[in-house]
Amino acid sequence: MKIFLDTANLDELRKAAAWGIVDGVTTNPSLIAKEGRPIEEQVRMICDIIDGDISAEVVATESKAMIEEGRGLAKIHKNIVVKLPLTRDGIQACSALSKDGIRTNVTLCFSGNQALLAAKAGAYIISPFVGRLDDISAVGMDLIRDICLIYGNYGYKTQVLSASLRHPLHVLDSAKAGAHIGTMPFKVLDMLFNHPLTDKGLDQFLKDYAKVFQTAGSVR
Ligand code: E4P
């Protein structure tokens, strides 16, 4: 599964990029607004840090304006994927931009039927929101399983991006379900490293080594 970071924060992106395990970035209007710079500027800086798909979302809501805005976003950098909401206008814009060879990420997906529409419109990525379904007492991960099944049944090329991941178990379950991509906040990515037995084991290895090869005052 590809790992994307769900943030527009440059410090977080730089830290994670140094680990060499980040395949791309998703942003949305809320995440861009948090950083306080216009989207074109912020997204260009993100492209300088991460070499992978970078989703940049339109804020227009009418198809013609979405298409125009999407074309503008796609011109910022070759790695930009134009993010569109799963509305009638968004799907219309997705069809038009896909026909032009512009890659799209259809976002705010909450049902298998919506995902089917996005695939038919030629979406490059579909973004089902796991955490937001959990928030309303629906099982978000069932949607990932449903979409993987539906796309597999018909051989749709659209990649399933498991979004709104709030904790490590969401990441594990997305990978088990067969999602192509999981996008997560920096905090969740950082938590994936943790295991008490790793810490305990390393501590013991170093202590055992030091007992034999390092005595006080002697350095190899
Ligand atoms: C995905 O593209 C969205 O930006 C994101 O995953 C939403 O997550 P949230 O529900 O935690 O805001």
Side-chain angles (χ1 to χ4, degrees):
M1 185 170 78
K2 286 185 242 176
I3 289 182
F4 282 16
L5 266 187
D6 195 30
T7 182
N9 183 275
L10 304 181
D11 289 337
E12 290 182 345
L13 290 166
R14 280 191 203 101
K15 257 189 239 168
W19 292 327
I21 51 167
V22 178
D23 302 297
V25 178
T26 49
T27 68
N28 62 40
S30 309
L31 293 172
I32 293 287
K34 233 164 105 178
E35 303 308 315
R37 279 192 205 93
I39 185 165
E40 292 77 12
E41 214 180 298
Q42 193 67 22
V43 155
R44 199 168 285 122
M45 288 192 284
I46 293 173
C47 290
D48 287 342
I49 299 170
I50 304 283
D51 184 21
D53 291 340
I54 313 292
S55 288
E57 187 162 343
V58 302
V59 287
T61 54
E62 185 271 320
S63 63
K64 200 162 163 257
M66 283 171 152
I67 294 166
E68 204 174 310
E69 193 183 344
R71 287 199 179 118
L73 289 171
K75 278 189 192 132
I76 297 173
H77 193 279
K78 65 176 174 45
N79 288 347
I80 295 293
V81 176
V82 176
K83 209 170 172 190
L84 302 156
L86 211 154
T87 58
R88 287 168 181 78
D89 283 276
I91 289 295
Q92 191 174 333
C94 176
S95 298
L97 291 170
S98 303
K99 277 184 194 117
D100 281 357
I102 292 175
R103 296 174 311 150
T104 56
N105 173 354
V106 176
T107 189
L108 290 168
C109 171
F110 294 97
S111 79
N113 283 337
Q114 288 181 321
L116 183 60
L117 300 178
K120 292 191 69 70
Y124 172 67
I125 289 172
I126 182 72
S127 289
F129 279 33
V130 174
R132 291 193 193 188
L133 280 169
D134 288 357
D135 288 345
I136 58 157
S137 305
V139 181
M141 204 51 65
D142 282 350
L143 177 59
I144 303 299
R145 286 186 272 270
D146 280 357
I147 299 174
C148 288
L149 175 70
I150 293 166
Y151 284 6
N153 283 347
Y154 301 102
Y156 286 119
K157 296 274 185 295
T158 306
Q159 296 177 78
V160 180
L161 182 152
S162 202
S164 187
L165 303 182
R166 307 270 177 77
H167 50 69
L169 194 54
H170 273 158
V171 179
L172 181 67
D173 286 341
S174 297
K176 283 160 78 175
H180 302 92
I181 308 162
T183 193
M184 63 206 77
F186 178 84
K187 189 178 149 214
V188 174
L189 177 61
D190 191 52
M191 284 195 278
L192 301 187
F193 285 94
N194 299 341
H195 200 290
L197 291 180
T198 304
D199 299 339
K200 191 174 173 229
L202 180 60
D203 190 52
Q204 191 63 53
F205 286 158
L206 297 178
K207 276 185 184 143
D208 289 345
Y209 188 85
K211 265 187 246 162
V212 176
F213 296 110
Q214 287 166 0
T215 51
S218 87
V219 178
R220 250 197 320 156

PDB file of all heavy atoms in Angstrom, residues 6 26 28 83 129 132 163-164 166 183, ligand 1:
ATOM      1  N   ASP A   6      -1.518  13.254   4.844  1.00  0.00           N
ATOM      2  CA  ASP A   6      -2.706  14.098   4.732  1.00  0.00           C
ATOM      3  C   ASP A   6      -2.431  15.402   5.486  1.00  0.00           C
ATOM      4  O   ASP A   6      -2.880  15.591   6.607  1.00  0.00           O
ATOM      5  CB  ASP A   6      -3.880  13.333   5.364  1.00  0.00           C
ATOM      6  CG  ASP A   6      -5.234  13.917   5.000  1.00  0.00           C
ATOM      7  OD1 ASP A   6      -5.357  14.489   3.904  1.00  0.00           O
ATOM      8  OD2 ASP A   6      -6.166  13.774   5.808  1.00  0.00           O
ATOM      9  N   THR A  26      -1.966  14.292   0.266  1.00  0.00           N
ATOM     10  CA  THR A  26      -3.319  14.787  -0.008  1.00  0.00           C
ATOM     11  C   THR A  26      -3.507  16.079   0.783  1.00  0.00           C
ATOM     12  O   THR A  26      -3.061  16.186   1.925  1.00  0.00           O
ATOM     13  CB  THR A  26      -4.407  13.769   0.417  1.00  0.00           C
ATOM     14  OG1 THR A  26      -4.143  13.317   1.747  1.00  0.00           O
ATOM     15  CG2 THR A  26      -4.445  12.586  -0.530  1.00  0.00           C
ATOM     16  N   ASN A  28      -6.591  19.349   1.377  1.00  0.00           N
ATOM     17  CA  ASN A  28      -7.977  19.766   1.136  1.00  0.00           C
ATOM     18  C   ASN A  28      -8.060  21.239   1.517  1.00  0.00           C
ATOM     19  O   ASN A  28      -7.096  21.784   2.102  1.00  0.00           O
ATOM     20  CB  ASN A  28      -8.968  18.863   1.904  1.00  0.00           C
ATOM     21  CG  ASN A  28      -8.792  18.915   3.407  1.00  0.00           C
ATOM     22  OD1 ASN A  28      -8.548  19.977   3.980  1.00  0.00           O
ATOM     23  ND2 ASN A  28      -8.909  17.768   4.065  1.00  0.00           N
ATOM     24  N   LYS A  83      -8.231  17.426  -7.213  1.00  0.00           N
ATOM     25  CA  LYS A  83      -9.209  16.809  -6.318  1.00  0.00           C
ATOM     26  C   LYS A  83     -10.566  17.486  -6.501  1.00  0.00           C
ATOM     27  O   LYS A  83     -10.661  18.725  -6.492  1.00  0.00           O
ATOM     28  CB  LYS A  83      -8.710  16.994  -4.876  1.00  0.00           C
ATOM     29  CG  LYS A  83      -9.137  15.918  -3.926  1.00  0.00           C
ATOM     30  CD  LYS A  83      -8.366  16.091  -2.626  1.00  0.00           C
ATOM     31  CE  LYS A  83      -8.858  15.183  -1.562  1.00  0.00           C
ATOM     32  NZ  LYS A  83      -8.269  15.522  -0.268  1.00  0.00           N
ATOM     33  N   PHE A 129     -13.919   8.160   2.867  1.00  0.00           N
ATOM     34  CA  PHE A 129     -13.525   8.703   4.180  1.00  0.00           C
ATOM     35  C   PHE A 129     -13.919   7.739   5.305  1.00  0.00           C
ATOM     36  O   PHE A 129     -15.076   7.721   5.733  1.00  0.00           O
ATOM     37  CB  PHE A 129     -14.222  10.052   4.408  1.00  0.00           C
ATOM     38  CG  PHE A 129     -13.559  11.224   3.746  1.00  0.00           C
ATOM     39  CD1 PHE A 129     -12.895  11.099   2.532  1.00  0.00           C
ATOM     40  CD2 PHE A 129     -13.600  12.485   4.346  1.00  0.00           C
ATOM     41  CE1 PHE A 129     -12.291  12.192   1.921  1.00  0.00           C
ATOM     42  CE2 PHE A 129     -12.998  13.587   3.749  1.00  0.00           C
ATOM     43  CZ  PHE A 129     -12.350  13.444   2.533  1.00  0.00           C
ATOM     44  N   ARG A 132     -14.725   9.550   9.066  1.00  0.00           N
ATOM     45  CA  ARG A 132     -15.972  10.333   9.152  1.00  0.00           C
ATOM     46  C   ARG A 132     -17.202   9.425   9.172  1.00  0.00           C
ATOM     47  O   ARG A 132     -18.251   9.811   9.689  1.00  0.00           O
ATOM     48  CB  ARG A 132     -16.051  11.346   8.010  1.00  0.00           C
ATOM     49  CG  ARG A 132     -15.015  12.437   8.180  1.00  0.00           C
ATOM     50  CD  ARG A 132     -15.228  13.622   7.284  1.00  0.00           C
ATOM     51  NE  ARG A 132     -14.027  14.448   7.292  1.00  0.00           N
ATOM     52  CZ  ARG A 132     -13.933  15.639   6.738  1.00  0.00           C
ATOM     53  NH1 ARG A 132     -14.980  16.165   6.131  1.00  0.00           N
ATOM     54  NH2 ARG A 132     -12.796  16.313   6.793  1.00  0.00           N
ATOM     55  N   ALA A 163      -9.057   7.227   3.104  1.00  0.00           N
ATOM     56  CA  ALA A 163      -8.842   8.569   3.674  1.00  0.00           C
ATOM     57  C   ALA A 163      -9.530   8.701   5.018  1.00  0.00           C
ATOM     58  O   ALA A 163     -10.276   7.819   5.429  1.00  0.00           O
ATOM     59  CB  ALA A 163      -9.371   9.619   2.700  1.00  0.00           C
ATOM     60  N   SER A 164      -9.232   9.833   5.670  1.00  0.00           N
ATOM     61  CA  SER A 164      -9.793  10.099   6.994  1.00  0.00           C
ATOM     62  C   SER A 164      -9.389   8.983   7.962  1.00  0.00           C
ATOM     63  O   SER A 164     -10.210   8.468   8.718  1.00  0.00           O
ATOM     64  CB  SER A 164     -11.323  10.233   6.878  1.00  0.00           C
ATOM     65  OG  SER A 164     -11.914  10.646   8.069  1.00  0.00           O
ATOM     66  N   ARG A 166      -7.601   7.820  11.178  1.00  0.00           N
ATOM     67  CA  ARG A 166      -7.384   8.550  12.436  1.00  0.00           C
ATOM     68  C   ARG A 166      -6.430   7.859  13.396  1.00  0.00           C
ATOM     69  O   ARG A 166      -5.998   8.454  14.366  1.00  0.00           O
ATOM     70  CB  ARG A 166      -8.731   8.741  13.148  1.00  0.00           C
ATOM     71  CG  ARG A 166      -9.812   9.387  12.267  1.00  0.00           C
ATOM     72  CD  ARG A 166      -9.792  10.890  12.380  1.00  0.00           C
ATOM     73  NE  ARG A 166     -10.761  11.514  11.495  1.00  0.00           N
ATOM     74  CZ  ARG A 166     -12.067  11.568  11.720  1.00  0.00           C
ATOM     75  NH1 ARG A 166     -12.580  11.007  12.807  1.00  0.00           N
ATOM     76  NH2 ARG A 166     -12.861  12.178  10.869  1.00  0.00           N
ATOM     77  N   THR A 183      -4.002   7.471   3.235  1.00  0.00           N
ATOM     78  CA  THR A 183      -3.488   8.814   3.557  1.00  0.00           C
ATOM     79  C   THR A 183      -3.763   9.111   5.019  1.00  0.00           C
ATOM     80  O   THR A 183      -4.840   8.781   5.530  1.00  0.00           O
ATOM     81  CB  THR A 183      -4.085   9.906   2.642  1.00  0.00           C
ATOM     82  OG1 THR A 183      -3.315  11.104   2.826  1.00  0.00           O
ATOM     83  CG2 THR A 183      -5.556  10.222   2.926  1.00  0.00           C
TER      84      THR A 183
HETATM   85  C1  E4P B   1      -8.499  13.136   2.498  1.00  0.00           C
HETATM   86  O1  E4P B   1      -8.125  13.417   1.382  1.00  0.00           O
HETATM   87  C2  E4P B   1      -8.977  14.119   3.476  1.00  0.00           C
HETATM   88  O2  E4P B   1      -8.184  15.276   3.372  1.00  0.00           O
HETATM   89  C3  E4P B   1      -8.842  13.634   4.891  1.00  0.00           C
HETATM   90  O3  E4P B   1      -8.395  12.306   4.965  1.00  0.00           O
HETATM   91  C4  E4P B   1      -9.986  13.961   5.782  1.00  0.00           C
HETATM   92  O4  E4P B   1      -9.704  13.505   7.073  1.00  0.00           O
HETATM   93  P1  E4P B   1     -10.538  13.976   8.354  1.00  0.00           P
HETATM   94  O5  E4P B   1     -11.887  13.326   8.277  1.00  0.00           O
HETATM   95  O6  E4P B   1      -9.754  13.459   9.526  1.00  0.00           O
HETATM   96  O7  E4P B   1     -10.598  15.465   8.286  1.00  0.00           O
END
